[in-house]
Amino acid sequence: MMAEINVRELHFSYYPDQEILKGINLHFKEKSAAIIGQNGAGKTTLVKLFKGLLKPVKGDVLINATNTKEITAAKLANQIGLVFQNPNDQIFKSNVIDEVKYGPLMIGFTEKEASIQADLALEAVGLRGLEQVNPYDLSLYERKMISIASILAMDTPIVIFDEPTMGQDSQGKERIKAIINRLRQEGKLVLSIIHDMDFAADVFERAIVMKDGQILLDGEPREIFAEVELLKEAYLEQPNVTRIGRELGAERVFLNEKELIDWLKIQHATLQ
Amino acid sequence: MSKIRVEGLKYRYPDMDSLVLDDLSFEVEKGAFIGIVGENTAGKSTLCYALTGLVPHFFKGAYGGNVLIDNIDVKQSEISDVTSKAGLVFDQPFSQMTGSKTTVYEEIAFGLENSGVEREEMRIRIDNSLRLMDIEHLQNKNPYDLSGGQMQRVAIASVLAMKPDVIVLDEPTSQLDPQGSDEVFQVIAKLAESGITIIMAEHKLEKLAEYASKILLLHKGKQIAYGSPKEVFSRDDILEYGIAPPVYVRIAKALKLKNKAGFYPITLDGLKQQWNVGDE
């Protein structure tokens, strides 16, 4: 299974005088990456270009060596799945199981294969038992989980999420974290646009900060989230755990609560 | 006299077997900022509907107990009388725009026109709402060209222009980025200070800890706790209700940093203070 994206000198604009992406160069191979940045930075436009829904004005996007300019988004669908930010933009079937089976059937799975995939995907998002319900009788956070299941069921080597944790409670966030970790274990490339900095720091192997259609920072989360000033420039804050550690006198950059608490416990013990 | 009194409220949707709201009783003072917390399925949205009359006037089903706003019974009143007292803001700002207006100003005017408010009074109310929501500079823009945070402030301004005493918000920041969420919390806190009673269902507990005067904790339709953020978020059993308390509480809990009153800190400053005291 190949899971690679190559982005070369990518420029994009919806209107001639308003450039949204201003020369992006990126390479992804397997691993997981968080794409962060303020609204309007170009994050959603970028992932739509990956998915082939938009075509570059200048430059190239290569998905597993296929140039998105030379292929339709439909033909790319077996390689790359994108979960939209707003599930209402994605969901159109009148019951949950048909919605989740639709993607796999479209990319050539047999009815039986699609059923198995859909079943596994619904299990992963915690919606087993709701197969026959109309998605629009469910709440927004449940519809979000359906839209995630629909993409998981397609079993693509590349999976992209646009704000997966929005509107989720702590249990929902844990579930999404587990899904991302599982996709990584399966050797997939997982990208996610994410506003929740603590989630980004805790879950992803790489962090990319966008600002005004350009890449401001790109690296390991521990390096990126240390850059308080540059993050500010992109109107972003450090993750809560990182900030708390700094405020309590740590020089280290903490990426999750366990790291922070372990450090604080040691401090506590030495001071007593 | 309390602004809102909820007495033994029970409710079940028509096609469901179990109660979504199961015997809720609480009172809310004028100008309070109440945060409703609980995992998804706790009944938060349904309670928002019950406080604004959508339950039982729009959503039928089995209803028991009372919701009183200024001593007026929501169940016995016309829904239009209820909505003029208590306005509702939804989680998706996008779905609240009328779709028929091309400027923010007209968007806010829509509800007023519908309810036949006089022209001069309309102008005053719109200007006032624009100012309170800090969106005067956006009044000639198309609502659909705005960011999520701006659009949500337009939605709140539209509700505000109807001059309600109470504004109920159902996860108003769940679809917004951090900056948009901050904007919304700041203007809401300002409204509470001006005497408008605020009831907000929300998952961003760090924010509620900062702004809310009281927290109502729900679980499977039942009222688990109603008290100050410190009290509710310090409960040792809070995880059992599917709630991860604010990060400051989680850290303090792991380090056993309670203050003398037996509460964990709920803000960064509180945590810093407690950490330094702990060192001494």
Side-chain angles (χ1 to χ4, degrees):
Chain A
M1 181 177 61
M2 281 242 291
E4 198 169 347
I5 301 178
N6 250 309
V7 183
R8 291 191 215 127
E9 274 307 313
L10 174 64
H11 290 257
F12 184 80
S13 51
Y14 293 99
Y15 307 105
D17 54 339
Q18 225 179 337
E19 198 164 47
I20 306 290
L21 297 178
K22 304 167 182 170
I24 305 263
N25 289 291
L26 283 169
H27 176 240
F28 298 99
K29 194 173 179 185
E30 296 174 2
K31 281 202 173 176
S32 63
I35 302 172
I36 56 187
Q38 210 198 9
N39 280 342
K43 307 185 298 295
T44 297
T45 302
L46 182 66
V47 298
K48 281 185 177 167
L49 280 148
F50 292 174
K51 171 80 181 153
L53 297 172
L54 301 171
K55 306 291 176 183
V57 169
K58 247 176 21 195
D60 297 290
V61 175
L62 282 81
I63 304 296
N64 293 336
T66 304
N67 195 318
T68 60
K69 280 179 186 163
E70 289 153 13
I71 191 170
T72 61
K75 287 235 167 77
L76 263 182
N78 61 352
Q79 315 230 8
I80 183 165
L82 169 62
V83 182
F84 287 175
Q85 177 174 349
N86 186 345
N88 300 348
D89 294 342
Q90 195 177 324
I91 293 172
F92 65 101
K93 290 283 184 181
S94 59
N95 69 49
V96 169
I97 190 70
D98 286 348
E99 179 66 38
V100 179
K101 272 165 66 181
Y102 178 81
L105 287 173
M106 281 308 284
I107 58 171
F109 284 55
T110 64
E111 177 66 32
K112 196 178 168 207
E113 286 166 341
S115 290
I116 294 169
Q117 284 298 325
D119 215 37
L120 288 171
L122 286 172
E123 175 78 46
V125 300
L127 290 183
R128 281 278 283 277
L130 295 179
E131 286 82 355
Q132 300 308 325
V133 178
N134 186 320
Y136 286 94
D137 285 340
L138 298 172
S139 63
L140 187 61
Y141 81 91
E142 287 167 317
R143 288 204 292 279
K144 185 89 188 188
M145 285 300 194
I146 295 169
S147 66
I148 291 174
S150 309
I151 301 302
L152 292 181
M154 293 169 76
D155 197 26
T156 51
I158 302 171
V159 181
I160 306 179
F161 299 93
D162 194 346
E163 290 297 347
T165 60
M166 259 190 180
Q168 299 294 335
D169 58 11
S170 53
Q171 206 191 339
K173 280 189 195 176
E174 281 303 314
R175 221 180 256 289
I176 290 165
K177 178 179 168 180
I179 289 169
I180 292 172
N181 287 338
R182 206 198 67 210
L183 293 173
R184 277 295 303 120
Q185 278 163 14
E186 291 169 359
K188 299 190 178 197
L189 166 60
V190 184
L191 307 181
S192 181
I193 295 175
I194 189 103
H195 282 308
D196 183 331
M197 294 293 150
D198 284 80
F199 192 84
D202 184 26
V203 177
F204 295 90
E205 297 158 282
R206 176 177 172 189
I208 293 166
V209 179
M210 290 185 70
K211 190 201 168 197
D212 297 333
Q214 289 175 314
I215 306 296
L216 183 69
L217 291 165
D218 181 0
E220 286 184 20
R222 213 176 292 279
E223 297 162 17
I224 301 304
F225 291 121
E227 299 284 352
V228 188
E229 291 308 315
L230 281 171
L231 288 171
K232 256 188 209 154
E233 218 176 276
Y235 309 100
L236 298 172
E237 283 188 0
Q238 283 186 310
N240 278 320
V241 287
T242 318
R243 198 161 44 95
I244 292 170
R246 183 165 53 93
E247 294 273 347
L248 295 181
E251 281 172 19
R252 269 183 64 192
V253 173
F254 301 111
L255 295 182
N256 56 54
E257 278 175 45
K258 191 183 175 303
E259 288 181 5
L260 171 62
I261 289 168
D262 286 349
W263 181 80
L264 288 170
K265 277 184 177 164
I266 293 167
Q267 299 300 305
H268 209 54
T270 28
L271 288 166
Q272 269 171 358
Chain B
M1 191 185 78
S2 299
K3 190 78 200 169
I4 302 172
R5 215 162 71 231
V6 175
E7 302 169 332
L9 176 63
K10 291 185 183 182
Y11 177 70
R12 178 169 57 73
Y13 284 103
D15 53 347
M16 285 176 89
D17 302 328
S18 54
L19 289 173
V20 183
L21 301 177
D22 190 355
D23 203 11
L24 308 184
S25 297
F26 59 92
E27 294 188 20
V28 179
E29 300 298 319
K30 178 177 185 293
F33 185 152
I34 310 296
I36 307 174
V37 306
E39 61 183 349
N40 289 333
T41 72
K44 303 188 299 294
S45 295
T46 308
L47 178 56
C48 289
Y49 303 156
L51 292 170
T52 49
L54 283 179
V55 163
H57 292 287
F58 178 76
F59 296 107
K60 308 295 179 189
Y63 185 99
N66 302 301
V67 174
L68 303 160
I69 302 179
D70 286 334
N71 259 341
I72 293 160
D73 192 336
V74 163
K75 181 181 53 188
Q76 308 290 348
S77 316
E78 292 289 323
I79 181 128
S80 54
D81 292 337
V82 179
T83 43
S84 65
K85 280 202 165 297
L88 181 60
V89 176
F90 293 92
D91 49 3
Q92 291 205 81
F94 202 76
S95 60
Q96 272 180 104
M97 298 296 120
T98 56
S100 60
K101 300 296 176 188
T102 54
T103 70
V104 165
Y105 194 94
E106 289 170 19
E107 181 69 38
I108 300 171
F110 183 81
L112 297 171
E113 280 173 333
N114 264 353
S115 52
V117 176
E118 280 191 33
R119 205 121 197 107
E120 196 42 40
E121 168 73 10
M122 228 167 87
R123 279 205 190 94
I124 295 168
R125 288 206 204 174
I126 295 170
D127 286 343
N128 200 29
S129 299
L130 286 168
R131 188 172 46 75
L132 278 167
M133 288 299 102
D134 200 15
I135 48 173
E136 287 154 302
H137 58 295
L138 303 174
Q139 57 179 293
N140 296 318
K141 284 209 162 189
N142 188 318
Y144 291 99
D145 288 340
L146 304 179
S147 72
Q150 290 170 334
M151 211 189 274
Q152 191 61 290
R153 282 185 287 155
V154 173
I156 300 169
S158 305
V159 170
L160 194 60
M162 305 299 284
K163 279 205 167 171
D165 298 338
V166 178
I167 298 184
V168 180
L169 305 102
D170 186 11
E171 296 187 32
T173 74
S174 73
Q175 305 302 308
L176 306 182
D177 66 353
Q179 205 191 352
S181 303
D182 286 351
E183 289 168 8
V184 167
F185 266 98
Q186 280 159 15
V187 294
I188 293 293
K190 223 163 64 178
L191 293 182
E193 275 167 29
S194 76
I196 294 177
T197 307
I198 300 291
I199 316 269
M200 183 196 271
E202 182 59 61
H203 283 307
K204 296 196 174 96
L205 304 190
E206 283 80 13
K207 289 279 165 209
L208 281 185
E210 191 179 338
Y211 291 103
S213 48
K214 267 189 179 171
I215 301 291
L216 175 67
L217 169 59
L218 300 181
H219 183 67
K220 294 194 162 61
K222 288 199 168 63
Q223 177 173 335
I224 306 299
Y226 184 50
S228 72
K230 265 199 171 139
E231 233 173 283
V232 176
F233 293 140
S234 290
R235 284 177 72 109
D236 285 320
D237 60 354
I238 193 159
L239 287 171
E240 289 168 30
Y241 305 111
I243 289 285
V247 62
Y248 312 110
V249 174
R250 300 201 296 269
I251 306 285
K253 222 174 200 174
L255 298 165
K256 302 189 175 67
L257 292 177
K258 267 189 186 175
N259 69 9
K260 285 197 189 101
F263 297 136
Y264 294 113
I266 56 172
T267 59
L268 178 56
D269 283 343
L271 178 62
K272 271 164 83 176
Q273 218 171 13
Q274 201 58 39
W275 173 249
N276 292 330
V277 171
D279 287 352
E280 280 165 9

